Amino acid sequence: MPLFSKSHKNPAEIVKILKDNMAVLEKQDKKTDKASEEVSKSLQAMKEILCGTSDKEPPTEAVAQLAQELYNSGLLVTLIADLQLIDFEGKKDVTQIFNNILRRQIGARSPTVEYISAHPHILFMLLKGYEAPQIALRCGIMLRECIRHEPLAKIILFSNQFRDFFKYVELSTFDIASDAFATFKDLLTRHKVLVADFLEQNYDTIFEDYEKLLQSENYVTKRQSLKLLGELILDRHNFAIMTKYISKPENLKLMMNLLRDKSPNIQFEAFHVFKVFVASPHKTQPIVEILLKNQPKLIEFLSSFQKERTDDEQFTDEKNYLIKQIRDLKKTAP
């Protein structure tokens, strides 16, 4: 039996038809409707080869051929570059095709990861997708799939474009800002050793931008950023980052202000960062001085801080421990 019957086009034919019709869509003239229909059909056919059907596994040989055609023709790049021109269902199909082909392995190799590593502008097109509301969430899904692979995460982290995340997580459209934050968090927590190296090398610029998120007017951004900060500095891989962060008096002052935020949730997340300053056995002199200067006020404040959390034993224990630590602080002899 031949692999493809007359009614089923082979991968090379599907790729050619799709590429030709994408070129028509780009022109945006009167032939667009017909081309749009052909694009939808071709994406469906491609998805069937890659994912199989309910009664049929994906044919290995055809999948390999399709992947090769997608790389060689540059169609993978075109589908991302022109995602806005494809209809709603088609956008979903492109996402599924992209993520499926990205997961494909040959032994220990991931050919699509290698391909994207050699064509990193694909990653930056996906990242820039956050600026286009009609494709932002689709681009986010594909970007997070890329980030699962350390070589691709590394390209984004060490690029100039990484700092665009600080802009995207503050976007006014809630869904898009939340999606951007999910990607941002993934990037900063998935590959621990890589991230620790990245944060150490770029500490000043990253934390300067991060401080703005902690003072954001947007409640959700502020809360998520505080929570992520707590997660980052408490991760053992980031010990050097934590040591640097808790040595800076301006960071302690910011947390003390956030402890008094009008939102109890933000106060609570700030507490989890504040406790690291107080519990550290190696406080720098400026940190000790701030804590001593505010010693009576801090003891009084923490004694009544979020008393309603009666069922949270760990929180109560931590709070009592901090009160003891602050009370036991002594002025060092000059």
Side-chain angles (χ1 to χ4, degrees), residues 154-250:
K154 186 175 184 177
I155 291 170
I156 301 170
L157 278 171
F158 285 91
S159 70
N160 293 331
Q161 289 91 328
F162 172 76
R163 292 181 73 184
D164 290 342
F165 273 107
F166 292 99
K167 180 174 67 181
Y168 298 149
V169 301
E170 291 264 50
L171 287 169
S172 57
T173 308
F174 176 77
D175 289 359
I176 298 174
S178 295
D179 194 277
F181 198 93
T183 309
F184 178 64
K185 182 181 177 182
D186 219 10
L187 206 43
L188 289 175
T189 53
R190 186 175 280 277
H191 307 285
K192 308 286 191 188
V193 177
L194 170 68
V195 169
D197 183 39
F198 164 71
L199 290 175
E200 282 179 53
Q201 285 188 45
N202 298 277
Y203 180 90
D204 291 335
T205 51
I206 296 305
F207 280 91
E208 192 181 310
D209 286 338
Y210 207 100
E211 191 178 324
K212 291 170 193 155
L213 295 185
L214 298 174
Q215 298 178 79
S216 171
E217 293 298 312
N218 182 322
Y219 162 76
V220 177
T221 302
K222 196 174 182 178
R223 186 184 175 191
Q224 286 178 324
S225 302
L226 256 175
K227 196 169 186 149
L228 176 56
L229 176 65
E231 200 177 315
L232 288 173
I233 65 172
L234 287 169
D235 189 307
R236 62 185 179 82
H237 294 89
N238 297 329
F239 183 77
I241 303 302
M242 181 267 284
T243 307
K244 195 164 185 177
Y245 188 83
I246 64 166
S247 72
K248 310 265 186 208
E250 60 272 22

